């Protein structure tokens, strides 16, 4: 068990015990308190009959655990309180409404019957909003969209008001395609289908080839691929506006054919693309919407993160930021201790899952891509500086181990902020290959290689014009119980290239969880490593070259403090 604790992330949101998956219902209330809920199985470190776990914070980086907000205790959600979101009603006190999917009847139907329900605070003036009560009118939505099924109908997004009507989008599967189904309501009580917000077909991600009549038909799936939810369901959609006329649609798609890079996707569209002719209040449904959306769609689906996150979503803060969080799932292999019931290593840990650090979302208009960076409050987690050098000369081949100050976390909970620049003599003219990065050593000969590489040209004033760049996490030497695949891919850059004074890399190591941000958040990889070494010889070794020239590094390393108050971390609930 000591090993299990040594791997449990310390400055990320984790479950007190049991299994954690999707982040749910995040919001900041008028009093300024942040609320994060999450799918939680308190009974065992495996998915099942989820509750809504609940943590609160004043700064989004130090958290306090609350009692579970929603538990499976009604005739429409006794099989589980699935994912959903929060909507702050525009009324005087901004009452938060939790909008979630209740599931039931699994043993009778062999699939989860999925309906949408809401809950309100028991005491809206309690800033901690400890207790919640479900509406007596639940379920509010129990009619699947046209061509859809209650077997694949979940995860309502934060509702928004448009021309006097409330709108929400619900993850669905219509005629075998993953879709974001639009629903509308005059009063947040009675809801009706309002057409398709978007679908795999309209985003060009149709995996029609996978949608074949099932070898064995699965109840509730109609004539779709027997994997149904795996191949076609759009889980955990998210819809939000960014900037003056850019709407973002995000969805989670477990389809195997695409997940080498990511399973959380987004597309950007103008209000015209998404709102179509709805803005006149008349709801069009079906084909013409898809065509309209497709014709005005301004981007092809892109990855939210190239690593091991899923079911991510965003919320708006009172100071106008759009903040994103994602579920970081376990990816270990093998079984190191007597596995408690489960068949793999992570079952033996007694806990499962974490959330990423909150990330602020911004739009790069040039590359029509989203940029994600850790929120500025993350610096509040820094407990002591372990190393700093403004211009470390790196060897022209190999890496340079940093001489870190002794740390209480033994280097297992650190942040590395580093900016690489070519040494003075990077030759002019023409694209040159560059490769920079750090090696994280995790004891007993294990290590993980984090690299940003691509091509760049040196300009006359010594800056770079980066034509191509990718960010990669190589886990081939990360240890016996680590999935050894390399995660990462090319990073969206402006078509004319990215002018840059340096190549930035920011890495958060939290025991078994890595969050990597390259080129100021243009590339993200979230990864898991499972170093089993008991010796504590962890180390950070930067390396890098630009063409034939070595690199210099402006590097700082901090030790990071806990997300939960230590004695509270294992507290009840
Ligand atoms: N997990 C939840 C569902 C959602 C899925 C159930 C995504 O609501 O679709 O725990 O990970």
């Amino acid at each position: 068990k000591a090993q299990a604790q040594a791997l449990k992330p310390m400055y990320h949101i984790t479950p007190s015990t049991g299994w954690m998956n999707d982040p749910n219902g995040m919001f900041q209330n008028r009093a300024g308190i942040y609320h994060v809920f999450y799918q939680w199985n308190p009974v065992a470190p495996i998915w099942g009959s989820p509750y809504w776990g609940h943590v609160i914070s004043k700064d989004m980086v130090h958290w306090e655990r609350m009692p579970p907000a929603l538990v499976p205790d009604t005739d429409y959600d006794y099989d589980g309180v699935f994912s959903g979101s929060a909507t702050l009603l525009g009324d005087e006190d901004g009452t938060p409404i939790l909008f979630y999917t209740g599931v039931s009847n699994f043993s009778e139907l062999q699939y989860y019957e999925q309906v949408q329900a809401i809950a309100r605070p028991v005491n809206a003036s309690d800033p901690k909003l400890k207790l919640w009560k479900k509406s007596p009118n639940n379920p509010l939505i129990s009619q699947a969209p046209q061509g859809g099924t209650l077997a694949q109908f979940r995860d309502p997004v934060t509702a928004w008001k448009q021309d006097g009507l409330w709108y929400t989008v619900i993850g669905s599967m219509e005629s075998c395609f993953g879709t974001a189904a639009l629903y509308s309501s005059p009063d947040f009580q009675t809801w009706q289908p309002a057409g398709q917000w978007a679908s795999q077909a309209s985003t060009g991600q149709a995996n029609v080839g996978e949608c074949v009549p099932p070898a064995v038909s699965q109840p509730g799936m109609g004539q779709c691929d027997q994997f149904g939810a795996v191949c076609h369901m759009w889980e955990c959609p998210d819809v939000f506006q960014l900037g003056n006329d850019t709407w973002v649609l995000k969805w989670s798609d477990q389809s195997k054919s695409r997940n080498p890079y990511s399973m959380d996707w987004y597309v950007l569209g103008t209000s015209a693309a998404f709102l179509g002719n709805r803005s006149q209040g008349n709801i069009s449904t079906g084909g013409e919407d898809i065509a309209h959306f497709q014709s005005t769609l301004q981007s092809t689906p892109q990855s939210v993160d190239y690593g091991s996150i899923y079911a991510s979503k965003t919320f708006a803060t009172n100071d106008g930021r759009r903040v994103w969080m994602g579920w970081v799932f376990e990816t270990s292999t093998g079984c190191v201790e007597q596995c408690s019931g489960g068949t793999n290593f992570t079952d033996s840990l007694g806990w499962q899952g974490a959330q990423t650090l909150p990330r602020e979302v911004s739009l790069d208009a040039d590359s029509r891509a989203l940029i994600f960076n850790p929120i500025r409050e993350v610096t509040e987690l820094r407990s002591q500086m372990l190393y700093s050098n403004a211009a470390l000369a790196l060897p022209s081949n190999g890496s340079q181990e940093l001489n870190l100050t002794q740390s209480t976390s033994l280097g297992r909970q650190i942040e590395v902020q580093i900016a690489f620049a070519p040494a003075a003599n990077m030759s002019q003219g023409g694209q040159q290959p560059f490769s920079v990065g750090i090696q994280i050593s995790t004891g007993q000969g294990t290590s993980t290689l984090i690299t940003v590489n691509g091509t760049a040209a040196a300009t006359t004033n010594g800056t770079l014009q980066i034509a191509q760049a990718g960010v990669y996490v190589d886990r081939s030497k990360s240890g016996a119980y680590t999935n050894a695949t390399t995660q990462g891919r090319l990073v969206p850059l402006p078509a004319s290239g990215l002018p840059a004074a340096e190549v930035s890399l920011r890495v958060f190591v939290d025991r078994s969880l890595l969050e990597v941000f390259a080129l100021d958040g243009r590339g993200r990889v979230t990864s898991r490593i499972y170093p089993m070494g008991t010796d504590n010889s962890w180390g950070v070794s930067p390396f890098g070259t630009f063409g034939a020239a070595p690199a210099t590094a402006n590097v700082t390393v901090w030790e990071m403090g806990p997300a939960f108050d230590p004695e509270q971390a294992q507290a009840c609930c």
Side-chain angles (χ1 to χ4, degrees), residues 27-43:
F27 67 89
Q28 182 183 21
N29 68 8
R30 292 278 168 81
I33 304 287
Y34 295 96
H35 293 259
V36 169
F37 306 84
Y38 49 85
Q39 293 286 280
W40 182 42
N41 176 6
V43 173

Side-chain angles (χ1 to χ4, degrees), residues 328-382:
V328 189
F329 51 87
E330 307 299 329
T331 60
S332 68
T333 57
C335 187
V336 70
E337 299 167 356
Q338 178 53 39
C339 289
S340 59
T343 54
N344 65 30
F345 166 77
T346 40
D347 291 341
S348 64
L349 290 178
W351 56 272
Q352 278 268 311
Q355 302 300 328
T356 59
L357 293 170
R359 299 178 185 174
E360 182 172 357
V361 187
S362 57
L363 172 68
D364 174 52
D366 285 355
S367 55
R368 293 296 298 160
L370 297 184
I371 291 176
F372 297 74
N373 276 298
I375 53 170
R376 58 176 182 267
E377 289 87 343
V378 163
T379 57
E380 302 297 314
L381 282 168
R382 293 170 178 169

Side-chain angles (χ1 to χ4, degrees), residues 21-22 39 47 50 82-83 154-155 235-236 254 310-311 327:
N21 55 296
D22 316 358
Q39 293 286 280
W47 181 86
F82 275 27
S83 289
R154 53 182 178 268
D155 312 336
E235 295 185 313
C236 297
Q254 292 181 1
Y310 193 67
W327 163 42

Side-chain angles (χ1 to χ4, degrees), residues 431-446:
Q431 289 297 329
Q432 318 229 5
F434 70 87
S435 176
V436 296
I438 57 173
Q439 174 177 299
I440 303 278
S441 307
T442 44
Q444 293 181 327
T446 61

Side-chain angles (χ1 to χ4, degrees), residues 3 6-7 412 442-446 530-538:
Q3 186 55 53
L7 289 167
R412 296 167 180 269
T442 44
Q444 293 181 327
T446 61
Y530 297 90
M532 304 302 289
T534 47
D535 71 344
N536 297 306
S537 55
W538 283 45

